[in-house]
Amino acid sequence: DDGERQPITAAPLLTRHPSGLGYIVTFGTGRYLTTPDKSDSSFQSLYGIWDRNTAGQNINTSPTANRSRSNLQVQTFTETSFDGRTTYSLSQNAVSWYDNDNNVNEWGWYLDFPKEGERLIYNMRMLVNTQLLTTMTPTEDPCEAGLTGTAYGINSTTGGATLYATFDLDGDGEYDPNISGFVFAGGDFSISNSRIFVND
């Protein structure tokens, strides 16, 4: 919101736009490459931008030139807790893709990661209809492990919460409602047999 540039170091993820025209290109911001990055406390974000020009056509200008975050639908996290762990719920704001004259109204969505210094440096994945991503937040406290991670599961079409429960954090076989993210001991994650494995 303060207009500062945000670095992109992880690969984008493409999903089909709900209209069937083009793709939603999702990318997160943040980097962890140099020593000063460890102490960087700037806020980073996740963006989903509608790319309508995917047929290899020649274009002279970008339809998203001179656009800003005000042309995107915002989603917001709220910190919660579950089973002794820090979790996050996420808004479910609809994206108004077209206006009444069938012109593009909103070019996508964005959300800001909730913690200072939190950043996306790992590649994202799709699991059926859920977009999965993990962020990391470094710490300079010598008594801590060095970083924490947060895993998120979102709706790639809107950037908001999925229409169904995504995570079963207590392992009781039932998915826990209103949880779009949870904090863990840092690092990336893996998927096997529809399960997400993190460090702890």
Side-chain angles (χ1 to χ4, degrees):
D1 284 336
D2 58 11
E4 291 191 13
R5 293 180 179 270
Q6 297 169 299
I8 303 168
T9 56
L13 178 71
L14 273 66
T15 55
R16 274 285 185 190
H17 191 271
S19 68
L21 175 63
Y23 292 87
I24 298 173
V25 182
T26 305
F27 55 93
T29 68
R31 73 176 196 175
Y32 198 57
L33 300 173
T34 64
T35 301
D37 292 338
K38 186 173 177 65
S39 58
D40 182 7
S41 61
S42 59
F43 281 96
Q44 302 298 330
S45 309
L46 186 70
Y47 297 89
I49 309 297
W50 186 9
D51 183 0
R52 294 162 53 94
N53 298 313
T54 56
Q57 65 269 47
N58 292 322
I59 57 173
N60 295 322
T61 60
S62 168
T64 56
N66 302 317
R67 308 287 179 184
S68 69
R69 284 164 51 119
S70 64
N71 301 109
L72 306 173
Q73 173 62 56
V74 63
Q75 305 288 358
T76 54
F77 285 110
T78 301
E79 183 174 329
T80 56
S81 63
F82 179 84
D83 199 30
R85 161 194 309 267
T86 299
T87 56
Y88 293 97
S89 63
L90 182 60
S91 60
Q92 278 186 331
N93 299 322
V95 180
S96 300
W97 297 107
Y98 292 101
D99 61 19
N100 292 333
D101 297 321
N102 211 32
N103 297 314
V104 176
N105 182 49
E106 292 179 320
W107 285 91
W109 51 263
Y110 76 94
L111 54 86
D112 294 326
F113 296 126
K115 293 183 291 187
E116 288 187 12
E118 184 177 0
R119 65 203 71 181
L120 188 139
I121 61 170
Y122 307 112
N123 292 342
M124 297 169 283
R125 303 167 181 85
M126 291 296 297
L127 182 59
V128 191
N129 294 318
T130 302
Q131 182 171 331
L132 298 171
L133 58 136
T134 55
T135 61
M136 59 87 68
T137 307
T139 175
E140 294 188 289
D141 187 339
C143 297
E144 296 188 8
L147 60 89
T148 59
T150 307
Y152 297 105
I154 67 169
N155 180 340
S156 63
T157 300
T158 65
T162 56
L163 300 177
Y164 44 84
T166 303
F167 299 115
D168 171 19
L169 296 184
D170 56 9
D172 65 356
E174 296 182 3
Y175 288 96
D176 308 313
N178 303 317
I179 297 176
S180 294
F182 62 93
V183 176
F184 62 99
D188 202 359
F189 68 99
S190 60
I191 300 173
S192 178
N193 195 27
S194 297
R195 292 175 179 265
I196 303 169
F197 293 87
V198 296
N199 291 0
D200 54 357

